[in-house]
Amino acid sequence: MDYVYGPGRNHLFVPGPVNIPEQVLRAMNRNNEDYRSPAVPALTKTLLEDVKKIFKTTSGTPFLFPTTGTGAWESALTNTLSPGDRIVSFLIGQFSLLWIDQQQRLNFKVDVIESEWGEGAKLDVLAAKLAADTDHTIKAVCIVHNETATGVTNDLSLVRRILDEYRHPALFLVDGVSSICALDFRMDDWGVDVALTGSQKALSLPTGIGIVCASPRALEASKTAKSLRVFFDWKDYLKFYNLGTYWPYTPSIQLLYGLRAALDLIFEEGLENVIARHKRLGQATRLAVEAWGLKNCTQKEEWFSDTVTAVLVPPYIDSSEIVRRAWKRYNLSLGLGLNKVAGKVFRIGHLGNLNELQLLGCLAGVEMILKDVGYPVKLGSGVAAASSYLQNNIPLIPSRI
Ligand SMILES: *Cc1c(COP(=O)(O)O)cnc(C)c1O
């Protein structure tokens, strides 16, 4: 294959997969091991304990599946629900659309609550549905915390408040693929029953681990849930946890060592500092977009995402052309507009192992590419807006204080 890398670094600014830190790359560069030796369960034990911290749960039970976010979705659904179960799900962009498609193909009856792309989940409609559902026919509420296609973050604490207000027992299932480990996420405080993420997003690992975390209620539900499941069955994992944290099938040893290193880096920085860093990166990006005179796809401030910004381009520009040329000319990888917003937005992913100066490099590249495609931008305008904000807000590096 005549793939040409070009000099220097690729500026990877798609909202997943993201940059892998050197420490993680090195930790994974190792030989295979006998996974039945005592070394592996000793490692697994630390991973299961520490993964709970990124979900902010003490009562949850995590499962590390060799899969992607899509497999984690399937695990969450099939372990807790039975075919024909009524569930409520919000359609706000491409990732929620794909999850709903999976829910329908798994034979759940899905009440789809649709929003315009760029808007958040319509929680008032959820409230009305729960209020009307006095027989408790709704078995689960499914929501994507951060819709990666449009850069919209939903308020999960509000979902919990609505469920509580109507004393509704529906399970609360959350896709946290582009939020957990980057945005404020609190599994226990928000009474989330199943939360899930994928390794290639904020955790900054290669693709290949789907992390699913189940509340005690979800574990209880799994005892009677009738959906067909084999590979993703929690029961098989629980059996091996009871044997001392061995695995039901061959674990990816290299990825487990990578996860260890990734968690160590996150805890060294401090999870709250990681979240604060994402807030800075999100705010700096939005300031740049504003300075360019462009609009954010996200319609209201309350939904602004600190992990991805979808930028609307004027109708005379094809956003796919921006993405194509940014890669060809500047070695900058931006996210395409997906489905309904294809051609209309390009996305800047600002999640994972990333710092402010890297982001400024990306913003400088975006300015040049905008000019290349005929958008009248003043070079340096977005970078200036972002850097003057960052210069006032970047703290010392936590490990160097
Ligand atoms: C990336 C992503 C997914 C899909 O994950 P895969 O690892 O590609 O299967 C699901 N949900 C959200 C919100 C995502 O950002």
Side-chain angles (χ1 to χ4, degrees):
M1 201 180 95
D2 53 353
Y3 181 84
V4 179
Y5 286 94
R9 296 203 64 139
N10 169 251
H11 297 266
L12 184 59
F13 282 86
V14 295
V18 307
N19 298 280
I20 304 173
E22 295 296 329
Q23 296 91 323
V24 171
L25 288 172
R26 281 195 291 275
M28 290 187 304
N29 187 5
R30 51 193 303 150
N31 214 319
N32 275 332
E33 275 178 43
D34 171 14
Y35 72 95
R36 294 196 174 91
S37 83
V40 172
L43 169 66
T44 310
K45 215 169 272 177
T46 72
L47 296 177
L48 293 174
E49 270 317 302
D50 284 345
V51 149
K52 287 201 244 175
K53 295 176 189 161
I54 64 169
F55 284 80
K56 294 210 178 119
T57 182
T58 53
S59 59
T61 303
F63 303 97
L64 307 173
F65 286 101
T67 186
T68 72
T70 305
W73 280 342
E74 188 165 333
S75 179
L77 296 168
T78 57
N79 278 280
T80 54
L81 298 164
S82 301
D85 275 356
R86 181 182 176 203
I87 62 181
V88 174
S89 212
F90 302 92
L91 201 179
I92 68 166
Q94 181 65 7
F95 291 93
S96 39
L97 175 85
L98 290 172
W99 198 17
I100 288 167
D101 175 59
Q102 185 187 76
Q103 290 154 10
Q104 290 168 335
R105 285 156 70 185
L106 287 167
N107 293 322
F108 305 120
K109 277 199 231 104
V110 191
D111 287 20
V112 177
I113 303 177
E114 193 168 355
S115 302
E116 291 293 312
W117 289 32
E119 292 186 359
K122 288 184 175 152
L123 299 184
D124 51 336
V125 179
L126 171 69
K129 278 185 184 288
L130 294 182
D133 185 37
T134 48
D135 297 342
H136 297 164
T137 61
I138 298 169
K139 300 300 175 200
V141 173
C142 300
I143 190 165
V144 173
H145 185 196
N146 185 80
E147 174 50 76
T148 320
T150 54
V152 165
T153 306
N154 288 306
D155 184 348
L156 297 186
S157 65
L158 194 50
V159 177
R160 171 42 62 197
R161 243 183 292 153
I162 293 168
L163 281 162
D164 288 349
E165 191 180 326
Y166 296 100
R167 302 209 162 128
H168 201 291
L171 292 169
F172 184 16
L173 310 187
V174 176
D175 168 336
V177 180
S178 61
S179 71
I180 290 170
C181 235
L183 306 182
D184 185 24
F185 182 83
R186 309 178 205 186
M187 179 158 177
D188 285 0
D189 286 358
W190 296 339
V192 174
D193 289 299
V194 187
L196 58 95
T197 188
S199 51
Q200 80 277 22
K201 303 282 170 90
L203 269 165
S204 304
L205 283 158
T207 314
I209 312 179
I211 308 179
V212 182
C213 200
S215 74
R217 275 188 78 216
L219 282 186
E220 201 49 42
S222 74
K223 292 179 185 161
T224 52
K226 293 193 176 54
S227 292
L228 196 59
R229 55 192 186 273
V230 179
F231 189 79
F232 291 124
D233 202 331
W234 296 346
K235 197 165 60 208
D236 297 328
Y237 274 74
L238 292 170
K239 192 169 97 195
F240 283 90
Y241 289 175
N242 288 331
L243 294 173
T245 319
Y246 286 86
W247 294 78
Y249 32 69
T250 319
S252 167
I253 297 283
Q254 289 78 5
L255 275 177
L256 296 184
Y257 282 103
L259 177 59
R260 183 64 265 158
L263 290 169
D264 289 344
L265 282 176
I266 285 158
F267 299 142
E268 178 188 294
E269 184 179 356
L271 184 56
E272 296 316 308
N273 293 326
V274 171
I275 293 166
R277 173 167 53 78
H278 283 87
K279 281 193 178 145
R280 285 196 299 281
L281 295 170
Q283 178 63 12
T285 306
R286 290 188 289 273
L287 287 169
V289 172
E290 198 182 311
W292 297 328
L294 292 173
K295 291 238 164 348
N296 198 318
C297 174
T298 314
Q299 296 300 307
K300 276 192 198 156
E301 209 176 311
E302 64 184 274
W303 297 315
F304 280 161
S305 165
D306 288 325
T307 53
V308 54
T309 301
V311 185
L312 282 164
V313 298
Y316 62 90
I317 292 171
D318 174 6
S319 67
S320 311
E321 188 59 18
I322 291 180
V323 175
R324 256 193 305 274
R325 291 178 65 149
W327 187 76
K328 279 192 180 178
R329 189 161 191 211
Y330 303 110
N331 206 1
L332 168 62
S333 298
L334 299 167
L336 283 163
L338 301 173
N339 197 337
K340 265 196 192 178
V341 289
K344 297 178 184 161
V345 310
F346 67 90
R347 294 173 299 151
I348 301 174
H350 32 82
L351 74 161
N353 192 265
L354 188 71
N355 64 34
E356 290 83 354
L357 296 199
Q358 283 174 280
L359 179 71
L360 290 174
C362 164
L363 297 176
V366 171
E367 290 179 352
M368 291 192 281
I369 196 73
L370 283 171
K371 206 153 188 195
D372 289 350
V373 297
Y375 179 74
V377 66
K378 183 164 173 280
L379 290 181
S381 59
V383 171
S387 60
S388 63
Y389 162 76
L390 290 171
Q391 193 262 326
N392 284 312
N393 287 283
I394 300 180
L396 294 175
I397 294 168
S399 58
R400 296 182 185 174
I401 294 172

